Each structure stands twice: as C-alpha cells, then as structure tokens.
Amino acid sequence: MANNIVTLPGFQSAKRDIPAGIVVFLVALPLCLGIALASGAPLFSGVIAGVIGGLVVSLLSGSELSVSGPAAGLAVIVASAIASLGSFEAFTVAVMLSGFVQLIFGLLRAGMIGDYIPNSVIKGMLAAIGIVIFLKQIPHALGYDRDYLGDEAFLQSDQLNTFTTLIEAFSNLSIAAVTISAVSLLLLLLWERPFMKRMAWTGIIPAPLLVVIGGVIINEAFGVWSPELKLRSSEHLVTLPVASSPADFFSMFSLPDFGNALNPEVWIVAATIALVGSIETLLCIEATDKLDPEKRISDTNRELRAQGIGNTISGLLGGLPITSVIVRSSANVYAGARTRLSSFVHGLVMIVAVAFLAALLNRIPLAALASILLVVGYKLASRRIIMDMWSRGAADFIPFFVTVVAIVFTDLLTGICIGFLAGIFFVVRSNYHAAITVVREGDNLLMRFGKDMSFVNKAALKRALRRIPDNAFLIVDGTKSLYVDGDIYETIREFETAAGYRGIRLEYHNFFDKQLKR
C-alpha cells in the first residue's frame, strides 16, 4: 500500500472513522476560518484549504491518521506575503509553486529529516501543544473571543499574551458562554465513562456533535428567556460566508494571477512556504505516529509529495497553504479514527456543510467548540505522559521539558528548534562519554573506541591521550568502530609524532582500515 500513489479509504473501520471525521470537521471548520482571518486572507480560502486537505491529501498521504489543512504556524508568513506581493491572487501563485517545491522535496526523499528529531522532543511537542490548546481555549470557553480560535503563539496580535489574555477573560466572562462550556464539558466527560462506552449507540453518535447541537440550543434558549445574555455577535459564533445561490458560492473561489509566476518575490515566498510547511508536516507526522494506537510508521516522503499536490490544487482554487496539523490529527486520534477515511469524511462534510448549511453553522457558539479542544488539550498533556518522561532520567526529561516550555512561551517551530538543540546536546554528551574506554595495567594501556568516532569526540580523545604516561605501551583498538572521522585519524597521527619524543610505543588493532569507510 505504501508504494501506491493513491490509497482509497477502506470501510473496515467505518463505524469509528465516520463519527471521527465529523468530530474533526467540527474542530477544523472554525480553525480554518480563524487562520484565514489571522492571515488577512478571504475567509473562504481557509475552507478551501481544509477541504483539499481532506479530500485530496488524505488519499495521497503517507499517514493513516494525519489530518491536513491551513496551519496557524504559517499565518504570519501568509499575512506578510500577501502584503508584500500586493494581492491575494499573486499570493496563491506562490502557494501553487510551493506545492511543486514540496513535490521535489518528496522525490529527493527529504522526509528522512523527521527521523532525526529525538523522541523526547516529539513528546515534548505533543505535551506543549496540549498545554497551549488548553490555555488558549479557556478564554473562548468563558466568552472572551478577541483572538481567533486556532491561535498557538504566545504573543498575540492584540498586544496580549497567553497569560494576560486569561486575566482579561476572567474579567469579561459571559454567562451564556460559561453555561455552554460547563454543559459541554460535563457531556464530554460523561461520554468517557465506562458505563457510557458499553452502550452501542454512543459509538455511533460522537459526543462533540451533541456538544455543538447542545450549544446552539442553549444559546437560542438564552435568546428566548434572557435575550441580553445570548451570544449574538459574530465574534462569539462561527462566521462563514453565506452563499445566496450556486453562482454566489462558486464566486468565492478565485484563480491565481499567473502573470506573477516569474516574479522572483513570488518564488521566494513559495520556497519559504514549502520549507516551513514541510518541516511542520514532518513534525506532525512523527507526533501522530506516536499517538497512533496501532503504532504504524508513516511514509514521510510520500507525505511530502501528497502535501505538494494538495498545495498545488489549493493555490489553483484560491486556498491557503496546507500542512499536516497536530491539533486536528490529535483530535482525529482521540475521536477513535483508525484509517484515512476519517480525514476524507471531514473534508467531504466540510464542503457539503459550507455549501448548504452555512447559515445554520453560523449559530454554533465558539464556547462549545472550545470545550471540545479543552478535552483534546488535556489528553495531550496528561500527567501520565509527564511522569513517564520523568522516569526516563535527565537525558530524556530535560529536552522534553525544554521543548514544552519553549513552545508554550514562543511558537511551535521556534520551540521545536530550541528543544532540538537541547536534545542534540544530550546525544553529543552521551556519545562524548561513551566513545572512548582506557584500561591500564602498569605501563600497558588499551584505548578502545566505540561504534562511531566523530569530530565531537576529538576533545575527549585529546584529554585521554594527554594522560598517557611517558615510556608507556599503548594499544589503539578500533575493532568495535564502524566509522572513524578524519579528525580522529589526524589527532592520532599527531600524537604518534609526539609519542616518539616521550618514549611511548604505539600499536594499532583494526584501526586504520576504518578509513575506507569514511
């Protein structure tokens, strides 16, 4: 299956996948709109990206559970690109071209980059995203909707940050929103109880769907009995463009301005989107594989090709850039999805609902959707995950913790870079200590090298060589080494020259033959 360019969704797990797809749709729709709003793009461009992520990328994807769509991490890049290029139509040319660049990445097998991210950093990313989701949704659950629903950055466009927004939210809470959130959370938690899971019908009707329906009913009830408390403003509700006719609906799609295809600035934007989007996709794929109950290993090169095709089509139809998105993917996993059918269903439901039910969807309170995301965030950052990383020792826990803190106080990509550096430090430190062993018996010494001897071990080697006493007999043993770096050979050769002046005799066992393997 991994070699096929298109994988049709199967129906063996339809009982799980279809309800999960509906849950992902409920989560994804406001995120698509919010990211489009934050990007300074037409709202419908976010919907287009979400639909393409579901209907196209899911069929081509290298992952069974990843869900693709517009990503909050690209919002700042998109906003600045639209401003610099002068029009959204010029920007969509860059989106198309970024798809071609990603196709090249996939053909060059650049997906292997994700394999070099330490597991502790990936798990830190998951926990951090969980914390960010949880903290960011509390204001929406309280009815403070100044920021868009999918925001993940610590510093916000309104000059507030994650924590100051919480203070503002508690000072400006809405009775209707709090009521909707409280009822929604009770329903979601009730659905998790064993006695509810034993009922067959609870597996068919997803709790988030009932939460959304319940949120609409409660808000409408406030309109009847306490009109002054009802959530009326578009700020507190889903805000979809409503088409009055089929022609009006199709007019929301826009063709790129192909006259900009040779503009160097457009190509720079395309390369930036392709690079950042590919990195975010690879991180999400690694994280989704960790969440997958079946622990399948995704084909990351195929995923890059899928994203490339998706972005090409999204740009052609007037959509935002697409990446694999961890918020939607984790919601997909926790909703019980098992195959790519759930992502396909989410895209199908989205286009049908937007085309025919936009006016009804615009009655959904953001407080109800925030409640769904609160539960997702709590599961991602559960105490069990943190204690498991703690039990593994400092070499795993510190990169995990650094990644969590860095993402919470910056953004996803910046935090991952900081966490990656912390992880690399511990990898180097571990190899630094384990690479060289010196055994001494009188004036006879055996220096044995580990599996890999790279330039990072040069300082440890020099320190060990300085401790060799004059007039000693030293055996340098490379039997266990699979690779020896040129810096190591040079250091040994230099020591060999100095050894002649110190009366040190040298003997080599299986050492210089490793030079052929460099």
Side-chain angles (χ1 to χ4, degrees), residues 106-181:
L107 294 172
L108 294 176
R109 308 188 68 80
M112 67 186 336
I113 293 171
D115 297 332
Y116 293 95
I117 307 295
N119 284 337
S120 57
V121 176
I122 295 297
K123 291 185 177 181
M125 181 187 83
L126 284 170
I129 288 295
I131 293 170
V132 169
I133 291 172
F134 193 87
L135 293 175
K136 289 288 189 179
Q137 298 314 309
I138 291 175
H140 296 291
L142 299 176
Y144 188 80
D145 299 304
R146 301 288 177 86
D147 199 26
Y148 70 98
L149 195 69
D151 184 32
E152 297 171 0
F154 180 72
L155 297 176
Q156 300 172 181
S157 58
D158 57 5
Q159 309 307 313
L160 297 176
N161 61 50
T162 301
F163 296 111
T164 54
T165 299
L166 288 174
I167 297 171
E168 290 290 321
F170 279 103
S171 302
N172 298 275
L173 56 83
S174 160
I175 298 298
V178 171
T179 303
I180 291 168
S181 300

Side-chain angles (χ1 to χ4, degrees), residues 46-64:
V47 174
I48 293 170
V51 170
I52 299 302
L55 296 183
V56 177
V57 177
S58 66
L59 298 181
L60 305 171
S61 176
S63 170
E64 288 290 338

Side-chain angles (χ1 to χ4, degrees), residues 209-374:
L209 179 59
L210 294 182
V211 162
V212 167
I213 294 171
V216 173
I217 292 173
I218 292 172
N219 193 44
E220 294 300 321
F222 271 107
V224 174
W225 290 301
S226 299
E228 70 281 1
L229 298 178
K230 182 183 178 182
L231 300 174
R232 299 178 184 275
S233 168
S234 60
E235 182 179 293
H236 304 297
L237 305 171
V238 170
T239 309
L240 266 173
V242 180
S244 57
S245 66
D248 192 18
F249 174 74
F250 287 109
S251 69
M252 296 181 189
F253 295 86
S254 60
L255 289 174
D257 181 359
F258 292 106
N260 288 275
L262 299 179
N263 183 345
E265 286 189 46
V266 169
W267 278 96
I268 292 172
V269 171
T272 303
I273 292 171
L275 182 60
V276 176
S278 296
I279 292 172
E280 188 156 339
T281 290
L282 293 175
L283 291 170
C284 177
I285 291 295
E286 289 291 320
T288 305
D289 283 354
K290 297 281 184 237
L291 297 174
D292 184 359
E294 299 180 25
K295 300 304 176 188
R296 288 164 286 196
I297 300 174
S298 299
D299 184 338
T300 50
N301 294 308
R302 177 177 170 178
E303 182 65 31
L304 288 180
R305 296 194 295 270
Q307 296 292 334
I309 294 171
N311 274 309
T312 301
I313 297 173
S314 183
L316 180 63
L317 296 178
L320 291 178
I322 296 170
T323 73
S324 178
V325 188
I326 189 59
V327 176
R328 274 160 259 190
S329 300
S330 56
N332 191 36
V333 172
Y334 290 128
R338 286 295 180 268
T339 73
R340 65 187 68 234
L341 177 62
S342 59
S343 180
F344 184 84
V345 167
H346 119 271
L348 183 63
V349 173
M350 184 177 294
I351 188 63
V352 171
V354 169
F356 300 105
L357 303 173
L360 182 60
L361 293 174
N362 285 344
R363 296 188 177 189
I364 300 175
L366 295 183
L369 299 171
S371 302
I372 300 170
L373 289 170
L374 281 171

Side-chain angles (χ1 to χ4, degrees), residues 441-462:
E441 185 176 329
D443 288 335
N444 298 319
L445 295 94
L446 171 66
M447 179 178 287
R448 180 171 289 156
F449 292 156
K451 181 171 69 71
D452 295 315
M453 286 293 294
S454 67
F455 71 93
V456 299
N457 306 116
K458 185 167 69 172
L461 175 61
K462 285 185 173 181

Side-chain angles (χ1 to χ4, degrees), residues 32 35-49 70 74-75 77-96 251-258 260 266 269 273 311 313-322:
C32 291
I35 292 167
L37 181 66
S39 302
L43 289 182
F44 197 68
S45 66
V47 174
I48 293 170
L74 288 172
I77 294 174
V78 172
S80 62
I82 294 173
S84 65
L85 296 178
S87 71
F88 181 71
E89 289 73 22
F91 169 74
T92 53
V93 175
V95 176
M96 282 188 63
S251 69
M252 296 181 189
F253 295 86
S254 60
L255 289 174
D257 181 359
F258 292 106
N260 288 275
V266 169
V269 171
I273 292 171
N311 274 309
I313 297 173
S314 183
L316 180 63
L317 296 178
L320 291 178
I322 296 170

